[in-house]
Amino acid sequence: MRELEERIRRDGVVRDGGVLKVDSFLNHQCDVALFDRMGAEWATLFKGKRVDRILTIESSGIGLACCAARHFGDVPVVFAKKAQSINLDDDLLTTTVYSFTKRREFPVIVSRRFLHQGDHVLLVDDFLANGRAMEGLIELCDKAGATVEGIAIAIEKGFQDGGGRLRRRGYDVRSLAIVTRMDAGTGTVEFA
Amino acid sequence: MRELEERIRRDGVVRDGGVLKVDSFLNHQCDVALFDRMGAEWATLFKGKRVDRILTIESSGIGLACCAARHFGDVPVVFAKKAQSINLDDDLLTTTVYSFTKRREFPVIVSRRFLHQGDHVLLVDDFLANGRAMEGLIELCDKAGATVEGIAIAIEKGFQDGGGRLRRRGYDVRSLAIVTRMDAGTGTVEFA
């Protein structure tokens, strides 16, 4: 998606260690008009797929998923939670995901009431790098007996192995911007 | 907002200890068509106010804030973060909030790049009970020199003191549903 690539070039900040900061429009401050156009683009890319539920993971995926849902017929958005709170006392689907950003493992939880056998699910997230979060959501869908129809990503770090691994497993991964190379010294970002 | 009250009556679950579970449409599974109508309602309630930024707090406020932003001219949505991650290395506005749900204090952080002197801010959240989260966001706005134009709440627990305390301080708090009484035994919920 040309608009997203241009926005990353303009407002993204490359840091050492493969960090791309896009917090001015994607995951701290949110440009909801852009989110809406990203949702429209995903709807085009996944046209013809049956999607009756969007699954994301807190927190950065939630805004994107809610804006995208309009373009998929206002299907329910479910966000997986990263820690058990005392209000979540149901029968739960659970797994564990390692976060390289937070440098720790954390439990990921979805209530069985919101992910069912026979559901056709679109996974949505802001970043795809090593793919651990998406693999966690896939595991929750598998446990529920739901079908993962596709994986909608804003920014894929093409130089990390998550996207390749998911595609080799047969998942339909669509990333609106795939970064192939970034340089913290010059601040340049290259796309596929 | 009649629709929200009816939805709470239909799908909300009252638990002991003043817990109202609305995770089937508000804060785990999200009904984005409802969120859109809630945003339209807040836009009516705050009509005439200058709002050039929406501030919420992760995670449950994010979807509501992003859906509401459309009705306020697609203003930027900023969500305060509950813990410092290694990608957030800027000059930060910080405070501490005690969560009764999580039973612990946690730091709340907004980058100074996304909350400025002179901003006119609408605060958005799913619940208002003891008011600690909103007081934290107000403190961040005060530190930034931003003006809190209003506080947009989905569900206020009118039997707790947060809403009253904020209104006595002069804030324009608009809650789409104010629960005055709930009974875990009978499952009934009464509204103001």
Side-chain angles (χ1 to χ4, degrees):
Chain A
M1 187 184 181
R2 180 68 60 97
E3 181 188 1
L4 182 60
E5 293 179 356
E6 286 173 357
R7 188 66 174 271
I8 294 166
R9 278 210 182 87
R10 196 186 78 189
D11 295 335
V13 177
V14 183
R15 292 281 165 85
D16 288 325
V19 173
L20 176 60
K21 280 189 70 157
V22 287
D23 58 353
S24 66
F25 59 95
L26 196 66
N27 50 22
H28 184 15
Q29 180 169 253
C30 304
D31 180 339
V32 294
L34 173 64
F35 285 15
D36 186 62
R37 292 188 290 272
M38 291 166 66
E41 183 74 14
W42 282 322
T44 302
L45 293 170
F46 290 107
K47 197 177 161 84
K49 297 257 180 179
R50 174 178 157 194
V51 172
D52 43 36
R53 189 168 296 269
I54 290 176
L55 177 64
T56 187
I57 183 164
E58 64 181 3
S59 293
S60 306
I62 299 173
L64 285 168
C66 285
C67 290
R70 295 182 58 215
H71 299 280
F72 290 86
D74 282 335
V75 292
V77 170
V78 178
F79 59 90
K81 303 198 174 198
K82 282 182 181 165
Q84 184 144 13
S85 84
I86 57 169
N87 285 6
L88 255 175
D89 49 359
D90 316 277
D91 191 14
L92 299 170
L93 299 157
T94 64
T95 186
T96 305
V97 169
Y98 181 80
S99 166
F100 290 90
T101 315
K102 310 256 182 203
R103 290 175 181 157
R104 62 178 178 88
E105 273 207 332
F106 51 86
V108 173
I109 294 163
V110 170
S111 168
R112 281 188 190 273
R113 291 179 294 131
F114 309 133
L115 193 59
H116 318 108
Q117 184 150 18
D119 279 345
H120 291 253
V121 180
L122 180 69
L123 307 185
V124 169
D125 209 3
D126 58 337
F127 269 100
L128 173 62
N130 56 74
R132 300 294 173 91
M134 288 305 98
E135 286 171 353
L137 296 188
I138 289 168
E139 191 184 329
L140 296 180
C141 288
D142 289 347
K143 285 181 175 178
T147 301
V148 175
E149 283 288 338
I151 301 177
I153 299 294
I155 303 175
E156 178 177 341
K157 290 179 175 170
F159 51 88
Q160 290 188 241
D161 63 345
R165 214 166 54 240
L166 291 169
R167 290 184 184 96
R168 284 192 296 278
R169 287 176 62 188
Y171 292 103
D172 185 6
V173 181
R174 307 294 182 113
S175 303
L176 300 183
I178 301 181
V179 177
T180 50
R181 200 173 157 276
M182 23 186 240
D183 187 316
T186 61
T188 51
V189 183
E190 289 168 24
F191 298 98
Chain B
M1 186 184 180
R2 179 69 60 97
E3 182 189 0
L4 182 61
E5 292 179 357
E6 286 172 358
R7 189 64 175 272
I8 295 166
R9 278 210 181 87
R10 195 186 81 190
D11 295 334
V13 177
V14 183
R15 292 281 166 83
D16 288 326
V19 173
L20 175 60
K21 280 188 70 155
V22 286
D23 58 354
S24 65
F25 60 95
L26 196 67
N27 50 21
H28 184 16
Q29 180 169 252
C30 305
D31 181 339
V32 294
L34 173 64
F35 284 15
D36 186 62
R37 292 188 290 272
M38 291 166 68
E41 183 74 14
W42 281 322
T44 302
L45 293 170
F46 290 106
K47 198 177 161 81
K49 297 257 181 181
R50 174 179 157 193
V51 172
D52 42 37
R53 191 168 295 269
I54 290 176
L55 178 64
T56 185
I57 184 165
E58 63 180 4
S59 293
S60 306
I62 299 172
L64 285 168
C66 285
C67 290
R70 294 182 58 215
H71 300 280
F72 290 87
D74 282 337
V75 293
V77 170
V78 177
F79 59 89
K81 303 197 174 201
K82 281 182 183 166
Q84 185 146 11
S85 83
I86 56 169
N87 286 5
L88 255 174
D89 49 359
D90 314 276
D91 192 15
L92 299 170
L93 300 158
T94 64
T95 186
T96 306
V97 169
Y98 181 80
S99 165
F100 290 90
T101 315
K102 310 257 183 201
R103 290 176 181 157
R104 62 177 178 87
E105 272 206 333
F106 51 84
V108 173
I109 294 164
V110 169
S111 169
R112 281 187 190 273
R113 292 179 294 132
F114 310 133
L115 193 58
H116 318 108
Q117 184 151 17
D119 280 345
H120 291 253
V121 180
L122 180 69
L123 308 184
V124 169
D125 209 2
D126 58 338
F127 269 100
L128 173 61
N130 55 74
R132 300 294 174 91
M134 287 304 98
E135 286 171 353
L137 296 188
I138 289 168
E139 192 184 328
L140 296 181
C141 288
D142 289 346
K143 285 181 175 179
T147 302
V148 176
E149 283 288 338
I151 301 176
I153 299 294
I155 304 175
E156 178 177 342
K157 290 179 175 171
F159 52 88
Q160 290 189 239
D161 63 347
R165 212 168 53 240
L166 290 169
R167 289 183 184 95
R168 284 192 296 278
R169 287 176 62 187
Y171 291 103
D172 185 7
V173 181
R174 306 296 182 112
S175 303
L176 301 182
I178 301 180
V179 177
T180 50
R181 200 173 157 276
M182 23 185 241
D183 187 315
T186 61
T188 52
V189 183
E190 289 169 23
F191 297 97

